[in-house]
Amino acid sequence: MSYLSLLEVLTLIHINYTNMASFDIIRYMSSLTGYIFDDAVLERIALERNVAGVASFSEITEKDKDLLTADLLFVLYTSPSQSASFSKKHGQFSQSIGSQIITDKDGIYNLMMRLYNKWEDPKAEELERMGGGLEWMQ
């Protein structure tokens, strides 16, 4: 009877866990900011940035992370400053999401532009043509 060393056991556990754990790009993207986004928005951005099929965190480059973050900030910047709360129920299942208020659109704009300019992304020019600001009708 042979015994495995502690290191061998931990290695086997790590290999099994790594094979079982799957990387979810949409879940990863939802963690890039402190705001809640609809899955359709996350999926659209993932498709536009050609990362929808990424199967491992190690496949995400610094450029991917920065531009995904910038695209999420773009959504925030071009959205109303306040969103309504949301809740749904079905049987025992219940989900509630509180309203979100964006108080620093200038900060969002500055970070978004810094990220787009860092990678010379065409969206930076698009935003500059917009004049750096949006006005909402009352």
Side-chain angles (χ1 to χ4, degrees):
M1 179 193 283
S2 67
Y3 293 96
L4 297 174
S5 72
L6 180 58
L7 179 59
E8 291 171 321
V9 170
L10 292 175
T11 301
L12 288 172
I13 290 171
H14 175 73
I15 290 170
N16 286 334
Y17 176 76
T18 303
N19 290 337
M20 287 176 16
S22 63
F23 179 72
D24 181 353
I25 187 66
I26 301 304
R27 184 177 164 117
Y28 171 75
M29 289 171 60
S30 71
S31 73
L32 291 175
T33 73
Y35 296 93
I36 297 169
F37 295 91
D38 188 75
D39 283 348
V41 171
L42 298 170
E43 290 166 3
R44 176 187 54 81
I45 292 171
L47 288 169
E48 289 173 353
R49 290 290 174 189
N50 296 315
V51 297
V54 169
S56 166
F57 176 75
S58 62
E59 295 177 54
I60 300 290
T61 65
E62 179 184 355
K63 181 179 181 179
D64 292 331
K65 180 182 174 273
D66 285 350
L67 293 177
L68 290 169
T69 301
D71 287 348
L72 292 170
L73 294 174
F74 180 83
V75 171
L76 291 174
Y77 183 71
T78 58
S79 298
S81 295
Q82 185 170 358
S83 67
S85 61
F86 168 80
S87 63
K88 63 181 174 181
K89 289 184 176 186
H90 182 73
Q92 296 296 318
F93 173 79
S94 174
Q95 178 185 22
S96 294
I97 298 172
S99 65
Q100 298 181 105
I101 300 173
I102 301 168
T103 58
D104 187 14
K105 289 251 184 173
D106 289 336
I108 288 172
Y109 177 82
N110 292 334
L111 176 56
M112 173 183 60
M113 289 302 289
R114 191 166 54 245
L115 293 170
Y116 282 141
N117 285 323
K118 175 181 177 180
W119 300 103
E120 299 177 358
D121 191 83
K123 272 201 176 171
E125 289 180 28
E126 181 183 331
L127 282 159
E128 287 170 1
R129 280 194 305 273
M130 289 170 52
L134 298 172
E135 290 186 28
W136 295 102
M137 297 173 60
Q138 298 291 336

